[in-house]
Amino acid sequence: MMAVRGSRLPAMSQSVPSLEALNALPRVQQPSYPDPQATGEVIEQLRALPPLVFAGECDDLRAHLAAVANREAFLLQGGDCAETFAGVNAANIKGKLRVLLSMAVVMTYAGQLPVVKVGRIAGQYAKPRSKDTETRRGLTLPSYRGDAVNGFEFTPEARVHDPKRLVGVYNASAATLNLVRAFATGGFADLRGIHAWNADFVRNSNVEARYEALASEIERALVFMMACGVEDDQLSTVDFYASHEALLLDYEHAMTRIDSRSQLPYDCSGHLLWIGERTRQLDGAHVEFLRHVRNPLGIKLGPTTTEEDAVAIADSLDPDHEPGRLTFITRMGSKAVRTNLPKVIEAVETTGRKVVWSCDPMHGNTFETDNGYKTRSFADVCDEVNGFFDVHEELGTWPGGVHIELTGDDVTECLGGIDMLAEADLANRYETACDPRLNRNQSLELAFMIAERLADGRLKRNAVSPLARFRGIDL
């Protein structure tokens, strides 16, 4: 990744609306801080800190996403539903990176195309909630909105909205990014050690035989390349990008910087930022803020999205039809994806834009079990992914990616999968701070299913393979 220095955003910059102007617009899902003066002091402190990511890195990711939109690559975006400050440790970060790299290897080899790797990481510390409060045993307190806002413990003290936690978000994100960059470039992700860096991961996995067979096949191909004298540094490192929902406007605005090369604004809290289903109002502060920054942007689209909704938000955020600028992350649910998604895709494609279409099969398939756990069925997750691919096959468009809530741990939060988790198993390791995540076995099982769809000849990719390009053959 390229490091480009960013400068502090001038207070009266005309490139981005002031925080005061944004606060005058409809603002939803924002904290209710009790002390405005303390909040202002935290915001000024954040403005003076170095950027977490750099403008050049955001530009690089936008170029990779343009390749996805052009059917030349696939996007894998995944990570925790909600990161926690306590989860900022080497083992946890390594586990998430490992499962994403494993999934990417499976998809790359089967699909014979690059996989753009983006984590829900180093910033996903805030979550929108459907209710402002929750009640337990007659006590009503503010809902937990992520470690960026308040504490998980159900006490009056923990649930107070505290602006000082925003500095904690910055510090946790900086530590996470530092470790991710070390893993990505320091040899951990070297493809030539594919067996070694996945040894612990696959040893206890019921999908290990399938994965090990694939790893051995890749290893033989690498040995052949090395025997031919091919020594490519790209085998030893990976490009890995950070993303999160740009939910807390105080934080995102404070982390915006002017790029010294272009004099354009970038939100330097993450490479890719997305707008959630609850915050994509056209007249709202989130859309108004993000349409001014140069980061690649994601937009969550739920089952009630109309053709007019999708086109209107595309017009607002991408008036210049810039490839790689927009990623539409659809979260229709397994029951609605085949009926509701086609019209949305057709409407956006008619505008002539090249956007990335990505499937979030998690958020539309959440339900509560009889024993009180919020969960998802792995079968529903797979069905929505298959429906997403089915729709694109019918329309002749490109199913460009998936957006998964997952962990590298052996949690028991989603039902089904190769381990056949049942409702009674949920209590064993239900560890999420918010929504249920796929565990590492389920994540890898899903990767193999997606790989089969990418390799399916029915999917009209219309892209020229590197080997065909070398031969001068247009396939």
Side-chain angles (χ1 to χ4, degrees):
M1 300 182 202
M2 179 170 53
V4 178
R5 183 168 302 182
S7 60
R8 178 178 170 181
L9 180 69
M12 298 302 292
S13 171
Q14 296 181 7
S15 300
V16 175
S18 68
L19 193 53
E20 292 74 20
L22 292 175
N23 288 340
L25 298 173
R27 300 165 75 250
V28 296
Q29 298 289 336
Q30 298 304 290
S32 300
Y33 296 126
D35 186 344
Q37 181 176 344
T39 304
E41 290 172 357
V42 167
I43 291 171
E44 288 308 307
Q45 182 181 352
L46 290 169
R47 290 198 194 283
L49 293 172
L52 290 171
V53 304
F54 299 101
E57 296 173 346
C58 298
D59 292 343
D60 291 343
L61 176 56
R62 190 168 58 250
H64 288 314
L65 293 173
V68 174
N70 201 39
R71 306 175 183 235
E72 298 170 354
F74 190 79
L75 169 64
L76 172 61
Q77 187 175 2
D80 270 321
C81 165
E83 294 178 284
T84 63
F85 295 160
V88 183
N89 59 72
N92 186 39
I93 295 167
K94 182 179 180 180
K96 284 185 283 190
L97 184 60
R98 181 172 54 186
V99 72
L100 285 167
L101 292 176
S102 302
M103 295 175 72
V105 163
V106 171
M107 296 176 191
T108 300
Y109 197 74
Q112 296 291 289
L113 79 172
V115 172
V116 181
K117 293 165 278 291
V118 179
R120 286 175 59 108
I121 200 167
Q124 189 61 14
Y125 293 98
K127 290 292 292 182
R129 304 311 298 261
S130 56
K131 295 181 180 179
D132 290 334
T133 61
E134 65 171 307
T135 301
R136 300 184 193 175
R137 302 183 189 92
L139 177 63
T140 299
L141 294 176
S143 295
Y144 171 65
R145 290 184 171 272
D147 279 8
V149 178
N150 55 1
F152 184 73
E153 298 79 10
F154 195 73
T155 65
E157 296 79 13
R159 292 300 175 93
V160 172
H161 294 186
D162 182 0
K164 293 179 182 178
R165 285 177 168 269
L166 297 180
V167 179
V169 171
Y170 177 91
N171 292 331
S173 298
T176 300
L177 284 169
N178 182 56
L179 193 56
V180 166
R181 286 177 169 126
F183 281 136
T185 61
F188 172 74
D190 195 322
L191 194 56
R192 289 165 291 194
I194 186 171
H195 286 288
W197 58 260
N198 273 298
D200 293 337
F201 173 57
V202 299
R203 184 164 50 222
N204 300 315
S205 167
N206 286 330
V207 292
E208 74 172 285
R210 193 174 183 186
Y211 181 85
E212 283 297 303
L214 177 65
S216 296
E217 192 172 339
I218 293 172
E219 196 170 66
R220 285 193 296 272
L222 290 172
V223 169
F224 172 76
M225 291 170 58
M226 295 169 69
C228 293
V230 177
E231 291 285 349
D232 195 332
D233 290 341
Q234 291 184 351
L235 295 176
S236 63
T237 63
V238 295
D239 289 329
F240 191 88
Y241 299 95
S243 70
H244 63 268
E245 181 177 357
L247 183 64
L248 303 183
L249 290 168
D250 290 338
Y251 180 76
E252 303 301 338
H253 195 277
M255 288 305 301
T256 301
R257 307 287 185 268
I258 299 298
D259 176 29
S260 58
R261 309 163 306 162
S262 63
Q263 300 303 305
L264 295 173
Y266 288 76
D267 183 344
C268 295
S269 67
H271 299 110
L272 183 150
L273 308 169
W274 75 82
I275 302 174
E277 171 78 351
R278 293 183 175 97
T279 55
R280 58 177 175 82
Q281 297 83 8
L282 280 174
D283 62 347
H286 289 86
V287 171
E288 178 63 20
F289 167 65
L290 286 175
R291 74 186 188 91
H292 287 89
V293 298
R294 289 290 299 143
N295 304 63
L297 303 176
I299 306 97
K300 290 286 190 85
L301 300 179
T304 61
T305 305
T306 66
E307 304 97 307
E308 293 78 15
D309 291 337
V311 171
I313 200 165
D315 287 341
S316 177
L317 297 173
D318 181 34
D320 299 324
H321 293 213
E322 181 181 8
R325 166 69 169 175
L326 294 186
T327 296
F328 277 120
I329 307 165
T330 63
R331 37 161 295 181
M332 301 288 176
S334 62
K335 295 179 174 60
V337 62
R338 291 173 176 84
T339 55
N340 294 14
L341 183 58
K343 59 186 180 183
V344 173
I345 294 175
E346 288 179 313
V348 174
E349 293 285 323
T350 299
T351 69
R353 287 182 173 84
K354 286 196 171 184
V355 306
V356 175
W357 291 104
S358 180
C359 175
D360 170 0
M362 309 296 291
H363 286 89
N365 296 304
T366 308
F367 63 94
E368 186 171 318
T369 61
D370 292 337
N371 55 355
Y373 285 93
K374 182 195 291 187
T375 190
R376 289 149 177 165
S377 165
F378 184 71
D380 289 342
V381 169
C382 291
D383 188 41
E384 180 159 0
V385 172
N386 276 319
F388 175 75
F389 273 85
D390 291 343
V391 168
H392 282 282
E393 283 180 2
E394 285 186 25
L395 297 178
T397 48
W398 178 241
V402 289
H403 183 118
I404 310 294
E405 289 185 339
L406 55 79
T407 176
D409 298 327
D410 293 320
V411 299
T412 56
E413 297 171 1
C414 292
L415 301 175
I418 200 164
D419 293 323
M420 296 182 289
L421 296 180
E423 288 189 20
D425 298 315
L426 295 178
N428 293 337
R429 286 195 64 180
Y430 195 94
E431 301 174 0
T432 182
C434 192
D435 289 339
R437 305 158 295 175
L438 299 184
N439 62 32
R440 59 186 186 177
N441 287 0
Q442 292 166 330
S443 300
L444 197 54
E445 187 179 357
L446 180 64
F448 275 109
M449 190 200 82
I450 294 169
E452 290 173 357
R453 296 303 302 257
L454 288 172
D456 194 330
R458 293 176 301 172
L459 194 61
K460 301 298 187 294
R461 195 170 145 218
N462 298 330
V464 180
S465 74
L467 186 60
R469 190 179 298 114
F470 171 77
R471 293 171 175 168
I473 301 172
D474 187 7
L475 296 181

